[in-house]
Amino acid sequence: MTTYATHDPKAGRTLSTRLDHRNPLVFDTHELGRRPGALQRISRTVDAPADLGVAGVVGVPQGAPVEIELRLESVMEGVLVTGTARASAEGECVRCLEPVELELDADFQEMFSYPDSDDRGRVKAATDEEDEEDESMTPLEDGMFDLEPVLRDAVVLALPMQPVCREDCAGLCSDCGINLNENPDHHHDATDIRWAALQELAGSLGADEKDNMSDAATGVDEKQEK
């Protein structure tokens, strides 16, 4: 189960559903014990969620393994999470349209704040103003955090917006669409556009019309000679 945040306009606060500890992308920080300087390292392999990547271009297939390595550090404000996600992404070469597979290494860092602390790590007073949370940090919920939004952002930033099968990919012929990587000598004879219309007209004329035009041209030449 993934957490979704909703806004209550009457109460002026952000409400969120409870995180599910069974979700492999939800992590528990209770072991740190809110002791500044405490460290925890976590390695976990999870199934990629749907639409992990750049839609229609390149991404990690749903259900593919994603190796996650995390370093959790307790600080005054909350828990600083630093990590790397590794997976295989698939897409399509933007030049030749052939399938592309590439290895992905996405680094990320995110601060998850204690819900009862301000941006300087001090305990906030129990007033209505405490609902105005710092938008730059995501609060922990029952000592847990959901890594999925962070993972999505990191993967998008790490993936190429225009994937290619290789750096020197020649692409497709703009005239007929043949793959130039497989046919490096392929080319089309260039036709001078100034004569193209006349050639097309000549090709559409019948043999009799061509002869008549030829005779007419001969007659004009004979008159000019006289």
Side-chain angles (χ1 to χ4, degrees):
M1 182 179 70
T2 303
T3 296
Y4 296 94
T6 57
H7 186 70
D8 183 349
K10 295 182 179 180
R13 67 179 65 189
T14 299
L15 303 176
S16 58
T17 61
R18 188 179 181 86
L19 291 178
D20 186 350
H21 69 278
R22 295 169 297 181
N23 185 334
L25 287 172
V26 171
F27 293 83
D28 194 331
T29 68
H30 284 101
E31 186 175 324
L32 295 174
R34 296 186 67 161
R35 302 184 305 275
L39 295 175
Q40 182 182 7
R41 297 184 183 277
I42 301 175
S43 296
R44 183 180 298 179
T45 299
V46 303
D47 293 338
D51 304 320
L52 184 59
V54 183
V57 180
V58 62
V60 181
Q62 183 176 1
V66 180
E67 298 178 4
I68 296 176
E69 294 183 3
L70 298 181
R71 179 180 184 271
L72 279 54
E73 180 180 2
S74 178
V75 295
M76 292 295 293
E77 299 91 343
V79 177
L80 179 64
V81 177
T82 305
T84 300
R86 296 184 177 88
S88 294
E90 298 177 359
E92 186 178 80
C93 177
V94 296
R95 297 178 188 172
C96 68
L97 307 183
E98 289 296 318
V100 173
E101 183 172 340
L102 53 90
E103 295 304 312
L104 169 71
D105 273 44
D107 298 323
F108 52 84
Q109 187 175 74
E110 185 77 7
M111 172 68 78
F112 293 91
S113 64
Y114 296 125
D116 58 348
S117 298
D118 62 15
D119 59 358
R120 290 173 296 280
R122 299 179 304 193
V123 176
K124 295 191 292 187
T127 65
D128 292 337
E129 294 180 356
E130 67 182 354
D131 297 321
E132 298 179 1
E133 297 175 344
D134 187 348
E135 296 181 356
S136 65
M137 294 190 292
T138 304
L140 292 166
E141 297 185 26
D142 295 330
M144 297 185 294
F145 64 88
D146 185 2
L147 189 66
E148 183 172 337
V150 179
L151 176 64
R152 289 187 178 280
D153 291 343
V155 167
V156 169
L157 291 175
L159 287 170
M161 297 302 295
Q162 294 187 319
V164 291
C165 58
R166 62 179 196 238
E167 291 299 324
D168 60 346
C169 175
L172 303 177
C173 174
S174 58
D175 292 325
C176 64
I178 194 171
N179 192 325
L180 298 179
N181 297 310
E182 300 174 356
N183 301 271
D185 297 327
H186 172 80
H187 69 280
H188 294 270
D189 294 331
T191 302
D192 192 327
I193 60 174
R194 294 172 297 179
W195 297 102
L198 292 176
Q199 291 176 349
E200 183 178 352
L201 177 61
S204 64
L205 295 175
D208 293 340
E209 292 175 308
K210 291 181 181 179
D211 292 340
N212 292 337
M213 290 181 65
S214 178
D215 293 341
T218 302
V220 171
D221 292 340
E222 291 176 350
K223 291 181 179 179
Q224 290 177 346
E225 290 178 358
K226 292 179 181 180

